[in-house]
Amino acid sequence: MKKYGFGADVGGTTIKMGLFEMDGTLVEKWEIPTDTTEKGAHILQDIAATVHGKMVENDLTKDMVEGIGIGVPGAVDKDGVVNRAVNLGWDIVPLAEELGKLSGMRVKVGNDANVAALGENWMGSGKGYNSIVMVTLGTGIGGGIIIDGNILTGANGAAGEIGHIVVNEQEIEACNCGHYGCIEQYASATGIVRMAKRALAGTSEGSKLRTFGEAVSAKDVFDCARAGDKVACDVVDQVCGMLGATLAKIGCVVNPDAFIIGGGVSRAGQILIDALQEPFKAQVFHACKDTPIVLATLGNDAGIYGAVRMLLS
Ligand code: ZN
């Protein structure tokens, strides 16, 4: 094992980069903009260039670097081929091969949500567990399943697509995926706002949430719930009820050592974890009723940690 490794987490607007020691020590992190012009044709060159620049800056040679791990927002197969990353403009991109040629280094590729789960498992709140399921509550809902330290990719790179588990067959608005009633439509940041607006429209009850008008956010919902606002508390109970029940179903299939909750919505903190407990325990198979549900701790850095961790396997 060489001493250093690079991690990249490619998003639609920025690429988060990290230089690590392979024991998990973050040496330095930085960001570069994501160039999505010409169908994202320059992204890999930009990554190779920033890695090369950082090696020069730190007097690193290739024989000191294990390689580059990279997480991307799309489905990835076992050979490191990306099958559509809409936010980057990519269709089919043989990423491991192309970035390998550009950088002259070993490259490992994964789906960003899966890679973030691996990062939490390595150096975050999932540390020490053999298997975890991570749920990332952001604009949408991402997920990652880690079994014995490895990402469960699935036959089509779609394992861990927790956000698109259908939880309400009566839903009349469509999810981004085209189906109706996915958990993402309720428990993502956008989903929580949608449910709050529905709740406010359906009652004449006074609520501080009304003062935010159209701009009401998921954070507002949790803040108001923490302050005892009845409508906000009902929304939190409703969305956490659906999410807790979804975790129970996942528990029956995966039986992980722990569930890790991350993403922007998880900044709500303990109120979120507390609200998940009862609906989880009400439905989960008895043998897994004590599975811990904990908050992620690496925040936006989970992706670069996980990217580097991929180089160890
Ligand atoms: Zn969906």
Side-chain angles (χ1 to χ4, degrees), residues 163-164 175-179 182 184:
H164 300 287
C175 178
N176 288 331
C177 74
H179 291 160
C182 299
E184 176 168 301

Side-chain angles (χ1 to χ4, degrees), residues 43-276:
I43 292 173
L44 298 184
Q45 290 160 18
D46 292 347
I47 293 171
T50 194
V51 164
H52 179 72
K54 204 53 79 173
M55 285 173 68
V56 172
E57 196 181 309
N58 289 282
D59 283 328
L60 301 179
T61 54
K62 274 180 196 163
D63 56 6
M64 298 161 78
V65 179
E66 196 55 42
I68 306 171
I70 176 166
V72 295
V76 180
D77 77 7
K78 62 177 177 19
D79 298 319
V81 178
V82 181
N83 184 350
R84 287 186 72 204
V86 182
N87 292 343
L88 309 179
W90 289 356
D91 189 25
I92 306 286
V93 176
L95 200 164
E97 191 189 327
E98 287 188 12
L99 186 58
K101 276 186 201 153
L102 288 167
S103 65
M105 282 192 271
R106 194 162 73 95
V107 174
K108 287 275 196 169
V109 193
N111 165 269
D112 56 1
N114 292 345
V115 171
L118 188 61
E120 286 289 342
N121 189 202
W122 190 31
M123 286 291 155
S125 59
K127 197 171 180 175
Y129 293 124
N130 283 324
S131 61
I132 62 158
V133 171
M134 179 164 166
V135 183
T136 304
L137 306 173
T139 313
I141 295 185
I145 301 170
I146 307 298
I147 306 289
D148 295 330
N150 294 304
I151 291 170
L152 181 72
T153 310
N156 302 102
E161 281 294 345
I162 289 159
H164 300 287
I165 294 175
V166 173
V167 295
N168 176 15
E169 293 181 7
Q170 267 71 52
E171 179 60 56
I172 52 168
E173 287 178 48
C175 178
N176 288 331
C177 74
H179 291 160
Y180 291 80
C182 299
I183 185 66
E184 176 168 301
Q185 290 185 275
Y186 307 94
S188 63
T190 348
I192 293 166
V193 167
R194 198 174 71 98
M195 296 321 285
K197 287 180 179 171
R198 261 194 197 176
L200 291 169
T203 178
S204 53
E205 195 163 346
S207 168
K208 196 184 168 217
L209 284 177
R210 293 191 197 281
T211 62
F212 301 101
E214 273 301 298
V216 65
S217 68
K219 180 179 185 297
D220 298 332
V221 173
F222 281 104
D223 287 347
C224 289
R226 217 178 276 111
D229 186 281
K230 171 82 168 51
V231 176
C233 287
D234 287 349
V235 173
V236 168
D237 284 345
Q238 187 187 11
V239 299
C240 289
M242 294 169 104
L243 183 58
T246 305
L247 296 183
K249 292 178 178 74
I250 298 165
C252 290
V253 180
V254 182
N255 188 17
D257 289 312
F259 289 97
I260 316 285
I261 311 295
V265 173
S266 72
R267 281 196 286 262
Q270 198 56 38
I271 186 176
L272 171 63
I273 299 298
D274 290 346
L276 292 171

